[in-house]
Amino acid sequence: MEYEDKAGRPSKPPSPKQNVRKNLDFEPLSTTALILEDRPANLPAKPADEAQKHRQQYEEMVVQAKKRELKEAQRRKRQLEERCRLEESIGNAALTWNNEILPNWETMWCSRKVRDLWWQGIPPSVRGKVWSLAIGNELNITHELFDICLARAKERWRSLSTGGSELENEDASFPAADREASLELIKLDISRTFPNLCIFQQGGPYHDMLHSILGAYTCYRPDVGYVQGMSFIAAVLILNLDTEDAFIAFSNLLNKPCQMAFFRVDHGLMLTYFAAFEVFFEENLPKLFAHFKKNNLTPDIYLIDWIFTLYSKSLPLDLACRIWDVFCRDGEEFLFRTALGVLKLFEDILTKMDFIHMAQLLTRLPDHLPAEEFFACIATIQMQSRNKKWAQVLAALQKDSRETEKGSPPPRH
Amino acid sequence: MAKQYDVLFRLLLIGDSGVGKTCLLCRFTDNEFHSSHISTIGVDFKMKTIEVDGIKVRIQIWDTAGQERYQTITKQYYRRAQGIFLVYDISSERSYQHIMKWVSDVDEYAPEGVQKILIGNKADEEQKRQVGREQGQQLAKEYGMDFYETSACTNLNIKESFTRLTELVLQAHRKELDGVRTRASNEMALAELEEDESKPEGPANSSKTCWC
């Protein structure tokens, strides 16, 4: 059979596939798998007309594939142009921030122009600086204080690893066992902070920085200690600031009322925040609000993760940084406005879901969110309820809860 | 039969940070194992429908953050659960010691009749073991719970333990539905009663039964 097949041809004929290939100036990638192979030797030869037909079909496929790849190439070119434009605008924005805004921070930061530019996202090159300025340093933390706290933390790690107890009597209100647990938890959590980035884990370039900041903080604020969620905040700061400044920003950020309420797990105050959130939820998205109520989906279920980590765990990192940008500008209310933005973005889907599907969607947001659409959703959220702003609504609710507390013992949950 | 499931239960995973609650859950629902998980903040959710004794049970599983500080928050979820996994890590004596605290929280905050099961996870880490198997059994016996040593890593006893807790919840639930007034502890009596009702596929009456 084999010899019969080859008999009619000149010796060593090129295979049909080589024939076809010769006619092409380039080989479309997607067709490599389609190339006609020689028929297995144990099968009868193809009739000539069938072989011709197959060759033709193959060439047609190649032409189609070529068209598709040309289209793809054009799309990529457009994408590249788009990226260049974006980079240019980021470059321009960075210039504006560096040359105009940062030197005149005090007078300019609350101007309309700056606020608008701010909303577009702070260029990564100045992001850390802007965050530092916006967060401020109410606590007057110096680099020296950081060094002192870090030295104490290191001492503790040492005494822990050698099993010594010379520090036992210090901070009597925070038992050694708790401290030990907390230091171990830091170690555990560092390995679980943005694990897919592989930069904070043992051996990674930012591992020691993250460890230092969290350790120093537990010495600086033993009354707060280490609470899960903090590692994400510190990690995002580390990506934008050097260690000392990251520590200063970290401590000041956690000192803000909303963060303090959450990280100290002041449950009453957290409930007040949730209640305030629900006021604006109902105002902005009444239908969805009713749907959530009906399904008993309370805000704590999705808000806790978002607020504790300032969205850094639940949103893609670049998007989370843009949320942080505006959070630095607008304060805590922006965290809740962002939450409503998420709900608005997914409103149509959520309305059709039951409890578990909603809870799953909100506690694990899709990996890719359309950034512009998302920010457009956030922009539509009004943080005004019956002429009251966020802070006023929150203050009123806080007053109410204090009064009920005084009037009757707090309800046991 | 149009419905995807016959009955819905909520199960809760609690235990110290890092004992592997999320890993257990991922192994059970997605048959996946990742050694480096992201920490759970607050609560996470998964869902799976399994068939136990011919009944399609949809289980919602609430996976909670383990740090003590978060317990003020996670306690709020106990009352919404019908079944609770108490998880410790066999390579951490401390996580085992803490089970007592977790149990007392459950007693305080969970609804009466909530079903509990004790899990000693990371059974594959034999060389790091700090808690003996019999210690786990002993503790489970003290509290009247079933006990499994599991490994999310090697997929040991994962399906078995989730199915067992579901069975227990189903039993408790059925009793309620059938209006059988039997003490929860009196399992034999319950099983007999249900046999009397001639349910050919009634729930298994012995803790040794595994649904595989």
Side-chain angles (χ1 to χ4, degrees):
Chain A
M1 287 291 274
E2 218 173 303
Y3 290 103
E4 259 174 11
D5 182 22
K6 283 182 180 170
R9 296 186 199 165
S11 63
K12 285 269 168 191
S15 72
K17 139 178 116 186
Q18 281 165 330
N19 265 338
V20 174
R21 274 186 179 171
K22 254 194 288 187
N23 299 336
L24 291 170
D25 46 354
F26 86 107
E27 176 115 7
L29 293 170
S30 51
T31 58
T32 38
L34 295 174
I35 285 169
L36 300 173
E37 296 293 344
D38 281 333
R39 280 165 78 81
N42 56 348
L43 292 180
K46 258 187 215 175
D49 58 335
E50 199 185 329
Q52 173 62 28
K53 197 178 113 202
H54 285 168
R55 215 165 298 145
Q56 224 166 18
Q57 283 174 339
Y58 172 72
E59 275 166 35
E60 273 162 31
M61 278 191 273
V62 169
V63 169
Q64 287 302 321
K66 225 167 151 181
K67 258 192 212 159
R68 268 199 305 274
E69 284 185 17
L70 200 67
K71 240 183 178 167
E72 174 65 12
Q74 279 168 345
R75 194 189 61 82
R76 252 185 252 143
K77 193 167 160 237
R78 270 200 309 276
Q79 219 175 24
L80 194 70
E81 281 167 0
E82 179 63 30
R83 177 174 290 179
C84 286
R85 256 202 306 281
L86 195 71
E87 263 166 30
E88 199 184 312
S89 84
I90 290 175
N92 287 339
L95 279 180
T96 314
W97 280 98
N98 266 323
N99 298 343
E100 294 174 38
I101 305 168
L102 289 177
N104 307 297
W105 179 256
E106 288 306 324
T107 53
M108 276 191 83
W109 79 272
C110 52
S111 72
R112 185 69 210 227
K113 183 191 154 192
V114 174
R115 287 178 64 84
D116 287 347
L117 197 60
W118 205 325
W119 178 270
Q120 310 295 323
I122 302 170
S125 60
V126 288
R127 188 166 253 155
K129 256 184 241 163
V130 176
W131 286 359
S132 278
L133 284 166
I135 293 167
N137 188 3
E138 242 185 0
L139 299 166
N140 288 316
I141 297 173
T142 57
H143 288 196
E144 289 69 40
L145 181 59
F146 170 68
D147 291 338
I148 294 168
C149 292
L150 181 58
R152 291 184 82 186
K154 282 184 173 163
E155 224 170 290
R156 275 186 194 166
W157 294 330
R158 254 196 309 276
S159 82
L160 193 70
S161 59
T162 56
S165 56
E166 66 264 39
L167 297 158
E168 200 72 5
N169 296 325
E170 189 191 15
D171 301 332
S173 51
F174 310 105
D178 280 8
R179 273 206 320 257
E180 187 188 339
S182 162
L183 289 177
E184 262 179 37
L185 189 56
I186 290 176
K187 228 165 83 187
L188 172 70
D189 269 357
I190 286 177
S191 67
R192 305 194 294 181
T193 304
F194 299 122
N196 45 344
L197 293 184
C198 300
I199 51 177
F200 296 106
Q201 286 59 44
Q202 187 88 48
Y206 293 116
H207 171 269
D208 292 350
M209 263 169 100
L210 186 53
H211 202 191
S212 300
I213 289 181
L214 297 174
Y217 187 76
T218 58
C219 291
Y220 173 62
R221 287 300 295 264
D223 58 324
V224 182
Y226 172 73
V227 184
Q228 291 190 306
M230 284 182 180
S231 65
F232 288 90
I233 297 186
V236 173
L237 289 168
I238 285 170
L239 293 175
N240 290 282
L241 289 162
D242 59 32
T243 314
E244 290 85 355
D245 291 329
F247 179 74
I248 294 171
F250 181 73
S251 309
N252 280 282
L253 190 59
L254 295 193
N255 202 44
K256 304 214 175 275
C258 176
Q259 274 60 47
M260 260 301 138
F262 277 73
F263 279 109
R264 296 182 91 156
V265 194
D266 178 342
H267 199 236
L269 194 48
M270 283 169 72
L271 290 177
T272 309
Y273 272 102
F274 296 147
F277 168 77
E278 287 197 299
V279 168
F280 291 92
F281 186 1
E282 188 170 19
E283 190 92 18
N284 281 280
L285 303 160
K287 258 196 221 147
L288 192 62
F289 180 75
H291 182 63
F292 274 39
K293 279 273 169 208
K294 200 181 84 197
N295 283 282
N296 202 9
L297 183 63
T298 47
D300 52 305
I301 283 173
Y302 48 95
L303 278 185
I304 283 177
D305 180 33
W306 296 350
I307 304 297
F308 267 97
T309 64
L310 304 175
Y311 295 92
S312 56
K313 183 171 158 270
S314 26
L315 291 179
L317 204 51
D318 53 337
L319 213 48
C321 284
R322 281 194 63 187
I323 300 297
W324 281 46
D325 289 344
V326 190
F327 164 60
C328 288
R329 187 191 81 171
D330 293 359
E332 64 185 35
E333 77 164 63
F334 190 70
L335 297 177
F336 296 93
R337 195 177 175 199
T338 301
L340 292 172
V342 176
L343 298 183
K344 167 120 188 165
L345 183 66
F346 293 110
E347 187 177 15
D348 293 340
I349 318 174
L350 287 167
T351 334
K352 295 187 192 84
M353 288 179 164
D354 61 358
F355 171 87
I356 188 70
H357 289 95
M358 291 195 281
Q360 278 184 303
L361 174 67
L362 295 175
T363 51
R364 201 167 300 249
L365 294 174
D367 288 338
H368 298 285
L369 285 184
E372 294 318 312
E373 199 187 327
F374 178 37
F375 269 83
C377 283
I378 300 175
T380 64
I381 301 297
Q382 291 299 318
M383 290 308 267
Q384 192 112 302
S385 164
R386 299 196 188 96
N387 276 330
K388 277 186 177 168
K389 291 185 172 149
W390 168 263
Q392 293 168 305
V393 169
L394 187 71
L397 285 165
Q398 244 176 303
K399 197 166 151 255
D400 288 353
S401 79
R402 264 199 301 270
E403 269 160 20
T404 44
E405 243 173 71
K406 252 186 272 167
S408 59
R412 215 201 81 183
H413 288 285
Chain B
M1 283 311 281
K3 231 174 146 190
Q4 284 174 299
Y5 56 91
D6 305 314
V7 57
L8 173 93
F9 292 136
R10 278 183 294 271
L11 308 181
L12 197 69
L13 281 155
I14 61 175
D16 279 10
S17 215
V19 297
K21 298 180 289 296
T22 306
C23 286
L24 284 174
L25 187 50
C26 279
R27 175 58 89 183
F28 176 63
T29 58
D30 307 322
N31 199 19
E32 280 175 5
F33 177 76
H34 310 279
S35 56
S36 63
H37 254 286
I38 203 157
S39 338
T40 307
I41 313 288
V43 58
D44 261 341
F45 299 87
K46 292 255 183 201
M47 175 186 77
K48 187 162 172 148
T49 308
I50 59 173
E51 205 170 308
V52 178
D53 303 323
I55 299 171
K56 284 204 192 94
V57 188
R58 167 162 292 181
I59 44 180
Q60 279 180 12
I61 307 137
W62 296 38
D63 176 22
T64 61
Q67 195 185 2
E68 203 167 342
R69 193 77 62 92
Y70 276 95
Q71 285 171 30
T72 328
I73 301 163
T74 47
K75 272 175 199 165
Q76 312 299 318
Y77 303 135
Y78 292 9
R79 64 191 155 86
R80 294 170 81 163
Q82 279 103 28
I84 295 181
F85 292 97
L86 293 128
V87 190
Y88 69 87
D89 166 3
I90 65 142
S91 67
S92 158
E93 170 78 25
R94 181 159 49 210
S95 73
Y96 170 78
Q97 296 294 346
H98 280 172
I99 289 292
M100 273 172 267
K101 220 197 73 50
W102 288 106
V103 171
S104 77
D105 278 352
V106 169
D107 289 343
E108 190 174 348
Y109 291 93
E112 207 146 315
V114 70
Q115 301 299 308
K116 289 168 292 198
I117 198 166
L118 183 66
I119 302 281
N121 193 34
K122 306 197 189 175
D124 54 293
E125 304 214 331
E126 197 55 57
Q127 69 289 355
K128 290 195 208 156
R129 184 189 278 276
Q130 291 183 359
V131 185
R133 197 188 149 73
E134 54 299 335
Q135 282 176 277
Q137 274 163 338
Q138 182 57 36
L139 190 67
K141 203 172 152 201
E142 253 171 64
Y143 291 116
M145 291 189 267
D146 279 18
F147 170 66
Y148 287 90
E149 277 201 350
T150 61
S151 163
C153 179
T154 63
N155 202 359
L156 171 74
N157 279 338
I158 303 293
K159 193 167 153 192
E160 288 77 0
S161 52
F162 275 84
T163 306
R164 180 63 191 149
L165 185 57
T166 309
E167 266 173 18
L168 288 169
V169 174
L170 203 58
Q171 280 179 14
H173 190 81
R174 262 207 187 163
K175 205 168 46 184
E176 191 182 285
L177 278 181
D178 300 345
V180 181
R181 292 174 192 213
T182 316
R183 287 260 163 95
S185 56
N186 202 342
E187 281 196 3
M188 284 312 287
L190 170 67
E192 276 163 23
L193 274 171
E194 288 192 340
E195 264 164 32
D196 286 347
E197 285 163 22
S198 65
K199 279 182 188 160
E201 293 189 327
N205 66 331
S206 127
S207 57
K208 282 129 225 144
T209 315
C210 256
W211 177 85
C212 303

